[in-house]
Amino acid sequence: MSKDQQFRLPGYQQYSVPKGPNSHGSMILVRATIPSSEVEPIHCGDGELVLVAGDFNAHHSMINSTTRMNLDGRHLVELLTDVPEITLINTGEPTHILGGTLDLTFIFTELVPVAQWEVDDELTSDHFATTTTLRIELLPPPPRPPPRWNTKKVNWKLYQDELQKWFSNYEPAEDIDQLNQDLTGAIQHAAEKAIPKTNRTNRHHKDYWFYNDEVREQNHKINTFRRHLRQYPSPEGVKLLRAAVQHARQITQKIREDKWLEWCATFNAHTSLSELWRKLRIATGKLPRSPAHPQPLQEANRLAEHFAERSSSAQLPPEIRLHLQQVQMDREVVVRHAIKQADTTDCLFTIDEIRRARKTSKDIAPGSDGITYSLLSNAGLAGELALIIVINASWSAGKLPSAWKRANIVPIPKPNDPPNFRPISLTACIGKTAERMVLTRLLWKIGPLHHNIFGFTKGLSTAHSLATLLGSIGLTSLQTRAERLTTCFATKLITRAREGDIKNGLLRALNLNRDVFNKKTWLLCAADAVNRLKLKDTILSKGPDTMSPDYSTPAPW
């Protein structure tokens, strides 16, 4: 459908997307007797299609056509033969008043068990309308994730005793992969003995039914002011935090009321008893599990290929790739020369280095082995000795265990772009602990990093990079607008917010139109506010948590 065409069907509510340059448009019709809110149809253009239906004017005996075969019919039959992932779900019932099956419906083969196709006798012209119902809830649910160890109920004494019992009779192997496998197996066995598993439930968080982007934004603001207060305690910070909490409660209460009224409006005289009980169970937090993707393996392979393509050096311009090849050759020469030279950092690692490198903070998602940082931190002397054997064997051989190079890729939907994903790599905590030990020696060897290096530096972030950039720009004063943006800008910058959040805050503070607001204007206003009110020192006062050690300091070992 084009934008200037109008279509009305008595008794039905229409939701449509007009035809665009790369889209054929789409339309959804809902009976007027069925309460419905605004529906967002998707564009039917290039990409992966789930369902295709329409008048193909195709004639072939295999698609129940009663007339002579034509070229379109032959092409569709060849397509169904060559592409088994697509299935025709017509039942053979005629879709034209003179007989014959001209209106066809194709769907993914995996959706056939949950699809129902029928002819509607009420909606007709020379063609009968067809309806296709997909009962997505009938798809097999996704497999439950494996239960994790509940470290809140762990018996650390029993856990350490099990590791000690294993290590007392352990004879280290010569193969690095076997050493790492033995250590991983021993930790997993001890954890099975001393740590109970978590129980998975279908219950959701108590606030799930009204939680949306606005609630998340309010929670983010509260956390922002709370972190700022911890870093810079002051009476003004307490007042700001209290004001943020009060404002967030008001917004959240209004959202709760609107969501409750919206939920109540879904009940009417046509609501069946089974539907009523289903909604009541959902309201108590017993949500049905989301169905699995119809093609989980194909979708995983598609995402893997997409991530590999995006991260490939083929995406870079030719001159950049040529420069990287030259740099790589120079680096290999330097590395080969360094390998032949003896150095003080070539000595084996010690237990003290392991104790300084291991993380004692809250556990994060582990790698494929399931071993978390708390299992390494509480492994006792036996666990530390076994770990140092693996790390020193890898250090001496100049080779990493294959398990350390293996990662689970978890695709996380982007907040402002849900169809796209951000890949998160989960690697083994044992390997990451060894990386921190090596990094400590490298930093001791090369000395303090350059003051303009912000990436991959502990305690520094984009906020510090922006503050340094804006603080170094000498600009004239903009008295009329700079004062209005200063508080918003400084708060966002101190709390390490994203650049998009900073820009949106500045837009609200300056009360400018997005169309006329450009990056140069933003930099001018922000840099002037930082310079004139001397905010640069305040923003950067936290600095890195641990500065790079000077070469003159004692060696880490």
Side-chain angles (χ1 to χ4, degrees):
M1 287 187 64
S2 60
K3 186 178 298 185
D4 55 349
Q5 288 180 326
Q6 298 294 328
F7 177 82
R8 293 289 182 270
L9 187 65
Y12 284 82
Q13 180 68 35
Q14 166 200 332
Y15 304 102
S16 63
V17 169
K19 180 173 65 175
N22 298 318
S23 168
H24 305 299
S26 63
M27 177 181 294
I28 297 176
L29 295 176
V30 183
R31 288 184 183 272
T33 56
I34 301 176
S36 62
S37 57
E38 183 66 23
V39 181
E40 291 291 340
I42 61 172
H43 284 276
C44 297
D46 297 335
E48 193 173 331
L49 298 178
V50 176
L51 183 148
V52 179
D55 180 8
F56 288 83
N57 195 24
H59 302 279
H60 198 283
S61 58
M62 292 187 63
I63 56 177
N64 302 314
S65 176
T66 58
T67 58
R68 186 177 180 180
M69 179 180 63
N70 61 3
L71 185 61
D72 292 337
R74 186 183 302 112
H75 174 70
L76 282 179
V77 171
E78 292 176 356
L79 179 66
L80 292 173
T81 304
D82 297 337
V83 186
E85 293 82 9
I86 299 178
T87 302
L88 175 66
I89 62 172
N90 287 56
T91 61
E93 191 174 353
T95 62
H96 194 271
I97 58 175
L98 299 180
T101 305
L102 301 179
D103 302 277
L104 308 176
T105 302
F106 301 90
I107 65 172
F108 281 152
T109 304
E110 286 78 5
L111 294 177
V112 171
V114 299
Q116 180 182 357
W117 183 92
E118 58 185 356
V119 175
D120 193 323
D121 297 331
E122 297 180 2
L123 300 176
T124 180
S125 56
D126 57 335
H127 291 254
F128 295 106
T130 63
T131 59
T132 303
T133 304
L134 298 178
R135 298 288 302 277
I136 300 298
E137 66 274 9
L138 297 181
L139 286 174
R144 289 183 178 272
R148 298 180 179 179
W149 289 304
N150 188 359
T151 54
K152 295 180 180 179
K153 300 180 180 180
V154 62
N155 184 347
W156 290 122
K157 181 65 169 58
L158 177 59
Y159 173 72
Q160 294 175 2
D161 290 344
E162 290 292 331
L163 284 178
Q164 180 63 43
K165 186 188 305 182
W166 164 80
F167 187 73
S168 59
N169 300 320
Y170 178 61
E171 295 183 2
E174 296 182 359
D175 183 65
I176 298 176
D177 289 327
Q178 186 62 43
L179 282 173
N180 183 74
Q181 184 177 348
D182 293 342
L183 174 59
T184 302
I187 293 177
Q188 293 173 344
H189 176 75
E192 292 286 347
K193 294 285 186 179
I195 309 177
K197 293 292 186 67
T198 57
N199 295 323
R200 295 287 179 176
T201 65
N202 284 343
R203 287 192 174 273
H204 290 242
H205 191 272
K206 61 183 180 63
D207 295 340
Y208 81 94
W209 60 277
F210 67 87
Y211 192 87
N212 56 18
D213 292 339
E214 183 64 23
V215 176
R216 180 175 59 185
E217 178 65 22
Q218 296 300 323
N219 293 339
H220 173 69
K221 289 180 179 179
I222 293 176
N223 294 332
T224 291
F225 285 107
R226 186 174 287 120
R227 286 195 299 267
H228 182 232
L229 182 62
R230 282 199 299 264
Q231 294 177 8
Y232 312 100
S234 65
E236 292 77 9
V238 175
K239 294 179 181 179
L240 288 173
L241 177 59
R242 290 177 178 174
V245 171
Q246 183 178 2
H247 179 70
R249 287 177 178 173
Q250 295 174 355
I251 298 295
T252 304
Q253 182 63 27
K254 181 64 169 59
I255 294 175
R256 287 166 61 98
E257 294 175 358
D258 294 342
K259 283 291 185 180
W260 172 254
L261 294 176
E262 180 182 342
W263 183 77
C264 292
T266 60
F267 297 100
N268 53 38
H270 303 282
T271 304
S272 63
L273 189 61
S274 60
E275 181 69 9
L276 175 64
W277 278 110
R278 187 184 71 84
K279 291 186 177 182
L280 288 176
R281 281 194 295 269
I282 292 177
T284 60
K286 297 179 180 179
L287 280 180
R289 299 176 63 204
S290 302
H293 192 279
Q295 298 174 304
L297 181 59
Q298 290 83 342
E299 179 66 9
N301 291 333
R302 185 189 69 83
L303 289 175
E305 292 175 0
H306 174 69
F307 295 152
E309 180 183 356
R310 291 294 301 271
S311 60
S312 173
S313 58
Q315 300 287 335
L316 299 174
E319 59 273 13
I320 299 298
R321 293 202 301 268
L322 179 61
H323 176 70
L324 289 178
Q325 293 176 359
Q326 295 174 350
V327 172
Q328 181 64 25
M329 294 170 52
D330 296 339
R331 288 175 177 171
E332 291 178 356
V333 173
V334 174
V335 169
R336 285 195 296 267
H337 177 72
I339 290 175
K340 300 177 181 179
Q341 305 296 323
D343 194 89
T344 54
T345 58
D346 293 338
C347 61
L348 298 179
F349 290 97
T350 63
I351 291 183
D352 290 336
E353 289 182 274
I354 285 186
R355 292 172 179 173
R356 287 195 297 266
R358 67 188 181 188
K359 278 194 173 183
T360 57
S361 57
K362 185 178 179 180
D363 282 336
I364 59 176
S368 57
D369 56 9
I371 297 177
T372 61
Y373 284 117
S374 61
L375 296 180
L376 297 179
S377 301
N378 297 277
L381 181 60
E384 293 172 346
L385 292 174
L387 181 59
I388 201 66
I389 291 175
V390 176
I391 295 177
N392 281 334
S394 173
W395 181 255
S396 300
K399 176 184 176 183
L400 294 178
S402 58
W404 293 5
K405 297 182 285 186
R406 192 181 304 119
N408 289 343
I409 308 298
V410 181
I412 306 296
K414 294 184 178 181
N416 299 325
D417 193 11
N420 291 322
F421 296 87
R422 176 181 290 109
I424 304 297
S425 301
L426 303 180
T427 55
C429 292
I430 297 178
K432 289 187 286 189
T433 301
E435 287 179 4
R436 283 194 295 274
M437 296 169 62
V438 175
L439 177 62
T440 302
R441 289 196 176 187
L442 288 177
L443 292 177
W444 176 85
K445 178 67 177 180
I446 66 178
L449 299 177
H450 192 275
H451 62 277
N452 284 336
I453 295 180
F454 297 93
F456 303 98
T457 304
K458 188 176 182 180
L460 297 180
S461 64
T462 306
H464 297 85
S465 177
L466 286 172
T468 303
L469 171 64
L470 298 175
S472 61
I473 301 176
L475 300 171
T476 58
S477 177
L478 299 175
Q479 297 289 342
T480 55
R481 291 176 176 172
E483 292 288 352
R484 299 168 60 187
L485 64 88
T486 299
T487 303
C488 173
F489 174 76
T491 302
K492 289 290 186 181
L493 211 54
I494 291 173
T495 54
R496 306 180 180 183
R498 296 187 299 272
E499 180 179 344
D501 294 335
I502 300 173
K503 186 173 181 179
N504 292 334
L506 291 172
L507 286 170
R508 291 192 294 268
L510 291 169
N511 195 22
L512 291 177
N513 191 311
R514 283 182 180 269
D515 297 333
V516 300
F517 190 83
N518 55 44
K519 190 172 183 180
K520 183 178 180 181
T521 307
W522 168 54
L523 287 173
L524 291 174
C525 299
D528 177 75
V530 171
N531 287 328
R532 181 161 42 79
L533 300 177
K534 301 179 180 180
L535 290 174
K536 180 182 177 183
D537 294 337
T538 302
I539 295 172
L540 294 178
S541 60
K542 182 177 185 294
D545 294 336
T546 53
M547 294 296 294
S548 303
D550 187 14
Y551 187 69
S552 59
T553 59
W557 56 92

